[in-house]
Structure formats: structure tokens, C-alpha cells
Amino acid sequence: MSILIALIPMVAWGSIGLVSGKLGGDANQQTLGMTMGAFIFALVTFFIVQPAMSGWIALIGFLSGFFWSIGQNGQFHGMKFMGVSVGLPISTGFQLILNTVAGAIFFHEWTKTKDFIFGFIALALLVLGAYLTARKDDESGVKVDNGMLDFGKGFRALIFSTLGYGVYTIIITWAGLDPLAIILPQSVGMLVGASFFAFRKAKVDRYVWRNMTSGLLWGIGNICMLLSVQNIGLAIGFSLSQMGIIISTLGGIFLLGEHKTKKEMYYVIIGCLLIIVGGVVLGYMKA
């Protein structure tokens, strides 16, 4: 059951880039709308569950949410500059490395030799798969419109994004708090952070309201990811949640019209298969 819960973020989070891409708006509008939707989701969940609350929970939750907003804003900017089918796989690879190392080494989630062997094999498969889904065909000799505007700017945005996302997950694992209690202060931190990025930059219009839908998707994925991390650890729980790259990559190609050459499509197919195998290895570790 823990593995099934860990796979829900794969679907929910893997769809966010596609949904936001269809709904429109710039990176700041998407981040603001998403956090508003996540806040509403967290507020409703809080009143239904009514978990115990304390100042410590509120502080950790707020900081987690604020750093998440840094991560999400950077990811949206990265996807704007690099395209969803390139930006999201690279972002996923960075996050997988950071969170897996943190869970395995800093939180001592892997204690046996076989844990490290299978764990790093799975991580290598996931990162290689992410790389292949983003790999370009430089030898095609054909200039195509694949959504790439500026790789350098997109790459720098994803570096900041990875650091923000890393603190968002690591600080909660370090504190060891109830996932259902933390989501409300976390959503407040997300909203404050998104408002900071959007201040005098984003026009609050229909694109912001539309992107609240992606916030609901994020909220569902967030609860399931936090619960799975609590049960099976950060290294495995987070890695399984990132398998949504398959959905976002294929969706970016077939739904958002991001062009791929024939050779690049082979890379994408092989990359997706490697990601699936990596996920199966992680699932085997907790079977």
C-alpha cells in the first residue's frame, strides 16, 4: 500500500507542467495560481482532519513551503526557457540526486550493503532516463522549434529550483513531523513566497485563477509524497514520486506540440523505459 501511495504523486505532479502549459500565463502567474489552489486544498484538508498544531510545526511548515516556492518558480522559468520536455527531466535528475543522497547518507535510510547497491543502481537508471528524455539530436542538421529559448538561463533557473525543492523535502524529513499537520502552514509559506516572486511582476488575471487547478493536483501529490516519505524514507519515497517525468515528457511532446526528431524520440522511449525499471528496483527494495 505504501508503494501505491508513493506512486500517486507520479501522476499528480507529472501532470502539473502539462496542465499549466495548457492553462497559460507566465512563470510568476503559474506559481501564484498554483499556490492559491494548494492553499485552498490544505485549508479544506486541515478542517476535515483537524491535526494537532504547534509553533514548531507552523515554523517548519512555513519554511518548507517558502523554499518550495523558490523551487517551483525556478522550475517554471526553466520550462519556459527550455520547454517542458527538456526542462522537467533535467530538473527531476537534479532533485533525484540531492534527495536520494540526503535520505541515504544524512538520514541513514540505507543501512545494508545491498541497500546502497540497489539504491544507486535505481538512481543511476532514473538519472540516465531523465538525461535521455532531454537529450537533443545535434547531428540532425535540421533546425526545429522544440520550445527551447535559452538553455543557459533555463539551466541556471533549475539550479536554484533544485536547492529550493531540496530544502522543501529535507527540512520536513529532518523534523519528523505529521504530514497532515504540516500542509496548512506549508501552504501559507508557499503563498507568501509566490506572492513575493509575483509582486509587481504578475498581473492577477484569468491565468492566475486558471492555474489554481494545478495547485489542487500539487496538493494531492504533496500529501501522498509526505506520507510515503514518512513510511518508506526520503530516498525511495521521493524518487518514486518523480517518475511522473514520463507523463510530463510524453505529454509535452504529444499535447503541447514540442517537436522531437526521430532520433530524439528513440532517446525518449529508452529514457522512459529506464525510469520505469529504476522505479521497479526501488519498489523491490521495499517489497
Side-chain angles (χ1 to χ4, degrees), residues 191-226:
L191 193 57
V192 170
S195 299
F196 172 78
F197 286 115
F199 183 67
R200 293 183 178 179
K201 296 179 182 178
K203 181 181 178 181
V204 180
D205 55 16
R206 67 184 185 277
Y207 294 115
V208 172
W209 308 121
R210 287 178 180 177
N211 275 282
M212 289 175 66
T213 304
S214 61
L216 299 178
L217 282 173
W218 185 88
I220 294 171
N222 183 50
I223 285 183
C224 293
M225 192 277 291
L226 294 177

Side-chain angles (χ1 to χ4, degrees), residues 77 129 136 145 169 230 271:
H77 275 95
K136 311 309 297 176
D145 180 14
T169 53
Q230 187 180 58

Side-chain angles (χ1 to χ4, degrees), residues 2 7 36 85 87 93 97 113-114 145 178 201 207 217 252 276:
S2 296
L7 291 176
M36 290 169 64
S85 63
I97 293 172
T113 301
K114 71 172 185 177
D145 180 14
D178 179 7
K201 296 179 182 178
Y207 294 115
L217 282 173
I276 292 172

Side-chain angles (χ1 to χ4, degrees), residues 2 12 18 31 44 47 61-62 66 68 78 127 146 152 154 169 174 183 185 188 190 197 210 232 238 267 271 273:
S2 296
L18 306 177
T31 305
V44 172
F47 281 112
F62 180 87
F66 186 83
W68 173 90
V127 173
N146 57 11
T169 53
W174 168 76
I183 60 170
V188 174
M190 291 166 56
F197 286 115
R210 287 178 180 177
I232 61 179
F238 183 82
Y267 292 147
L273 291 175

